[in-house]
């Protein structure tokens, strides 16, 4: 208790503060109690600390505000890029559809029902590009209304679309390659100039005087009329065969073969790769033949088919 009393008395004690200005002004003398002096000092310190705190908070606020503006600009740039990518992919997809319908893909059914079907990626979750308007909101400055989840989903969606387009283009390119290969391997046009003297099918055999099956088409012309290969392929036989005389057989792949019989001269040997239009022999009457002609056969999957339909459409070569 004595200590407290002593402290109380000490606080009541007066202190003198002297302000001594430079120059001719008189010194100022202030006499205040120690208690008042202490209260003043504590208050002064408190005010100083508080104003410092307020100032730092204001600085933080300004910093966050500036950061937000920078983020907004970045987000707008990002959204613009996404929007451009979206438009580009949509244009590509339109082209893709056009190309597919132009090609009339054989695998169209497989494409529609297979892994590349549009449902397989639109059904994967997230909004479709048309449904969401997050890009538009960002671009129109209504950034506060943007649903960031939706924006992120759209970015994921674009990525999926891009991957789909890559697969799709690769499939289209493979299909073009395949169709081109089949086209080049399919017999087209006449193997020689001339007139058809005997059709494919049952006929009365001129030699044996009986009804037999004629497995090819006879085209007659003068001796040594050039005989051409009607599709790209490899020569698998070039020699003499009973009945056919000098004959050249070409394998075109994809189950297709052609044969050119009764030649006067063979100009291709086994193993040769020949392209459509290449001269492979001269027309003759070797083997069993009543006159100079080429006996032309087309085989599909090991079976002789009517070559007549392959003579047509010579425009595409
Ligand atoms: Zn014939």
């Amino acid at each position: 208790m004595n200590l407290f009393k002593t402290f109380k008395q000490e606080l009541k004690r007066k202190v003198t503060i002297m302000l001594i200005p430079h120059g001719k002004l008189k010194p100022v003398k202030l006499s205040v109690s120690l208690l008042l002096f202490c209260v003043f000092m504590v208050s002064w310190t408190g005010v100083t600390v508080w104003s410092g705190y307020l100032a730092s908070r204001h600085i933080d606020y300004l910093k966050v505000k500036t950061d937000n503006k920078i983020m907004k600009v970045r987000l707008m740039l990002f959204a613009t890029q996404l929007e451009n990518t979206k438009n580009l992919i949509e244009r590509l997809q339109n082209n893709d559809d056009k190309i597919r319908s132009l090609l009339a893909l054989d695998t169209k059914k497989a494409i529609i029902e297979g892994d590349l079907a549009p449902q397989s990626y639109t059904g994967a979750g997230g909004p479709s590009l048309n449904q969401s308007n997050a890009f538009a909101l960002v671009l129109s400055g209504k950034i506060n209304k943007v649903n960031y989840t939706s924006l992120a989903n759209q970015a994921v969606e674009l990525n999926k679309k891009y991957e789909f387009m890559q697969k799709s283009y690769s499939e289209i390119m493979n299909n073009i390659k395949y169709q081109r290969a089949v086209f080049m391997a399919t017999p087209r046009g006449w193997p020689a100039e001339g007139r058809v003297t005997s059709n494919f099918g049952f006929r009365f055999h001129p030699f044996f005087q009986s009804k037999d099956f004629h497995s090819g088409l006879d085209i007659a012309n003068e001796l040594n009329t050039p005989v051409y290969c009607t599709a790209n392929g490899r020569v698998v036989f070039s020699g003499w065969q009973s009945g056919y005389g000098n004959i050249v057989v070409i394998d075109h792949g994809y189950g297709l073969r052609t044969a050119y019989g009764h030649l006067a001269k063979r100009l291709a040997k086994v193993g040769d790769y020949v392209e459509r239009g290449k001269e492979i022999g001269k027309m003759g009457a070797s083997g069993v033949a009543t006159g100079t002609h080429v006996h032309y056969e087309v085989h599909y999957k090991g079976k002789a088919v009517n070559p007549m339909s392959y003579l047509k459409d010579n425009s595409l070569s």
Side-chain angles (χ1 to χ4, degrees), residues 179-217:
Q179 291 211 19
R180 182 179 159 76
V182 170
F183 175 78
M184 295 311 286
T186 305
R188 203 174 301 271
W190 290 62
E193 284 184 20
R195 61 194 172 85
V196 174
T197 51
S198 186
N199 277 308
F200 175 88
F202 284 100
R203 64 168 186 182
F204 189 75
H205 199 281
F207 260 71
F208 306 113
Q209 300 286 304
S210 62
K211 204 178 176 190
D212 79 333
F213 186 77
H214 187 225
S215 56
L217 190 74

Side-chain angles (χ1 to χ4, degrees), residues 197-199 203 214-219 244 261-262 288 293-297:
T197 51
S198 186
N199 277 308
R203 64 168 186 182
H214 187 225
S215 56
L217 190 74
D218 291 347
I219 298 165
Y244 292 97
H262 306 308
V288 182
H293 72 277
V294 61
H295 171 85
Y296 176 53
E297 287 192 13

Side-chain angles (χ1 to χ4, degrees), residues 24 30 85 115 264 277:
K24 288 175 182 173
L30 286 171
T85 312
D115 290 335

